[in-house]
Amino acid sequence: ARPSKGFSADIESGALNFELEKKSAEGQVDNSKTTFKFKFDGILPMQASQQEVFEIVATPVIDDVLQGINGTIFAYGQTGSGKTFTITGGAERYEDRGLIPRTVSYLFDA
């Protein structure tokens, strides 16, 4: 997948930026917003493995849960972006296990 035109990401700072073109008819006032900036605690690259996602995202939440702190991992995104694969994993290769099977394994290893 390639990013949309006008999209930029700074993985180090956790920033995503979207610049949209204004398309308004001549003579009409268009005060719509064209710049959108979002800041996240972190951004994982497209090449991140299931193990890296687990270590970065799930392990701290699981450790907190084991200490009595409530925790939630919520997958949100566009259709076909990989939410189900990230959470449940693939069935063909062991290293493609998702967050749920890795969490169960982690809990029983703890």
Side-chain angles (χ1 to χ4, degrees):
R2 64 176 188 259
S4 301
K5 182 179 166 187
F7 169 80
S8 65
D10 183 356
I11 293 176
E12 294 297 320
S13 70
L16 296 179
N17 299 305
F18 296 91
E19 297 284 337
L20 305 177
E21 294 179 20
K22 275 199 179 190
K23 297 180 182 177
S24 57
E26 188 174 324
Q28 289 184 342
V29 175
D30 182 359
N31 291 326
S32 62
K33 188 174 179 179
T34 59
T35 302
F36 298 88
K37 296 181 180 187
F38 303 92
K39 183 83 169 139
F40 298 92
D41 292 336
I43 300 172
L44 298 175
M46 294 285 291
Q47 305 84 354
S49 69
Q50 292 283 64
Q51 183 63 33
E52 291 171 315
V53 173
F54 177 74
E55 290 169 0
I56 294 168
V57 175
T59 303
V61 176
I62 297 164
D63 290 340
D64 284 349
V65 168
L66 292 173
Q67 298 298 317
I69 300 169
N70 291 336
T72 300
I73 297 173
F74 184 78
Y76 177 83
Q78 183 176 345
T79 299
S81 62
K83 300 174 298 293
T84 301
F85 182 78
T86 300
I87 297 296
T88 61
E92 296 178 14
R93 299 183 321 156
Y94 186 77
E95 56 268 8
D96 286 342
R97 293 172 303 140
L99 296 180
I100 293 172
R102 289 174 189 273
T103 298
V104 171
S105 178
Y106 184 83
L107 287 171
F108 283 99
D109 288 344

